[in-house]
Each structure stands twice: as C-alpha cells, then as structure tokens.
Amino acid sequence: AEHANELMEQKMDDGALTGDGTGNNLEGITATGVASAFVVPTQLSEYYQSANIYDAIMAVATQVRLANFKGQLTAVLNTVWEAKMKGIKTTYNEYIVPPFVSPDGMKVGSVNVVFNNKFPEASILVGDLKKFNLVMAEDVTYDEGYENDDFTKNLVTILAEARLVQRVKSNHYGAFVKGVLSTAITALTKA
C-alpha cells in the first residue's frame, strides 16, 4: 500500500503539472487552456543590459501582475535551475546573489521559487497557485487479486484508483503564465 501510494502521488503530480486532458487524464496547469503564453511586457522588452534567470522570473511575474492578479506568486522551474541560479558568478569567480533575491534563492522579489524535477528544463511557469484547484473526489481504492494463471505463477495484481477533479475558473486563466526561458531572456536583453 505504501508503494502504491507513492506511485499514485507521482501520477497525480504529473497530471496536475503536465497532464494533457485527454480521456481520464487531468488537464495540467501547463496545458494550453490553463496557462497563458509569456509575452514580454512592452516596458521590459530589451530593457535589461544582460538579462538572466532572475530577470526572466520577474518579467513573467510582471505579466501575471499586469493581468491584475495580486496573490502570492510562485515560479516553477526544473531542479537543475537551483544549481544554475546559485552558480552565477562575476568574471572574478565571485558568486552573485541579486539584492532582491533571498539568501537561499527560494524567493525572487515577491515570487516564491519551487524546483521540480518533472518540469521541463527549458520552461518556466509563474502563477498564483491558489487559483489552481485539485480535489480528491473520493478516497483511493485498492484491490488485490490473481488473474488467470497468476496463482500458479505466484503473481498478485494490485489495482489502485483515485478520482480527482482539477478546476480553474475561466476568469483565473491569466493567473498562470508559461514560457520558454531562452526566448524570454533573449526578448528581455538589450540589443
């Protein structure tokens, strides 16, 4: 049961993050219908002398704020970015932490940063995650049994099922913005 719970939790996380919405699959938060595409705010286009990941997070958050979402924003990045962000150095090999970034790197401006190994490395997602609702409609059910000649082969099949409901109000779609980091950084960098 413990192993089945772990597998179920991972499957639910996958569906909530990147589900395609086909059949019984959840429509994840990165699905086209839920998260808007990143469009550089006009005021920030080619604004930064040498844009980096921190500037990209702030720019994507700005798009969400310009859509009038004032809640606590969270940026989701691939786990590799935690090491990359903490490894930014000057030409003299001194580590750089911008003044608007918390010492542990988990907050950029007013945006919380979450790292997830299942999120694509090239992508970024910023949003008010309280507007994305994932609810267990009923408890997880478990069934065990033998099928056909499994008894003679000593094989047991375990079936675990859960009913989930994912919901985002249509007027909250602007609360989530996704983008490609390299494209965002290029669009923000002064030519």
Side-chain angles (χ1 to χ4, degrees), residues 37 83 92 125 133 141:
Y92 300 106
L125 171 73
N133 299 300
T141 59

Side-chain angles (χ1 to χ4, degrees), residues 129-148:
L129 298 182
K130 288 185 179 178
K131 307 259 189 268
F132 183 83
N133 299 300
L134 185 63
V135 179
M136 295 281 291
E138 59 186 45
D139 291 337
V140 177
T141 59
Y142 298 97
D143 289 317
E144 292 184 22
Y146 296 107
E147 185 176 322
N148 302 330

Side-chain angles (χ1 to χ4, degrees), residues 17-186:
L17 186 61
T18 58
D20 59 11
T22 59
N24 290 328
N25 295 341
L26 293 171
E27 183 176 24
I29 196 168
T30 59
T32 307
V34 178
S36 303
F38 175 63
V39 177
V40 178
T42 307
Q43 303 88 332
L44 298 179
S45 180
E46 297 184 8
Y47 174 77
Y48 298 94
Q49 192 64 39
S50 183
N52 62 24
I53 182 65
Y54 300 112
D55 303 321
I57 292 170
M58 294 300 289
V60 178
T62 299
Q63 180 178 339
V64 175
R65 298 269 188 235
L66 288 172
N68 295 317
F69 291 99
K70 309 295 183 201
Q72 177 59 57
L73 299 184
T74 301
V76 181
L77 297 167
N78 184 280
T79 304
V80 172
W81 277 101
E82 184 172 12
K84 285 183 175 183
M85 290 166 70
K86 291 180 180 177
I88 296 175
K89 298 178 184 178
T90 66
T91 55
Y92 300 106
N93 284 330
E94 298 165 327
Y95 288 99
I96 300 173
V97 177
F100 56 90
V101 176
S102 65
D104 66 357
M106 301 307 282
K107 196 163 185 115
V108 176
S110 62
V111 180
N112 291 326
V113 181
V114 174
F115 300 99
N116 184 305
N117 67 334
K118 295 181 179 183
F119 196 70
E121 184 180 346
S123 300
I124 183 171
L125 171 73
V126 175
D128 181 353
L129 298 182
K130 288 185 179 178
K131 307 259 189 268
F132 183 83
N133 299 300
L134 185 63
V135 179
M136 295 281 291
E138 59 186 45
D139 291 337
V140 177
T141 59
Y142 298 97
D143 289 317
E144 292 184 22
Y146 296 107
E147 185 176 322
N148 302 330
D149 64 346
D150 285 350
F151 181 75
T152 59
K153 293 181 180 177
N154 200 23
L155 297 174
V156 175
T157 300
I158 299 173
L159 176 65
E161 291 182 311
R163 298 244 184 249
L164 303 167
V165 176
Q166 168 264 322
R167 181 176 63 89
V168 177
K169 295 177 184 176
S170 60
N171 57 327
H172 290 164
Y173 282 2
F176 313 101
V177 174
K178 66 178 178 179
V180 177
L181 282 168
S182 60
T183 304
I185 291 170
T186 299

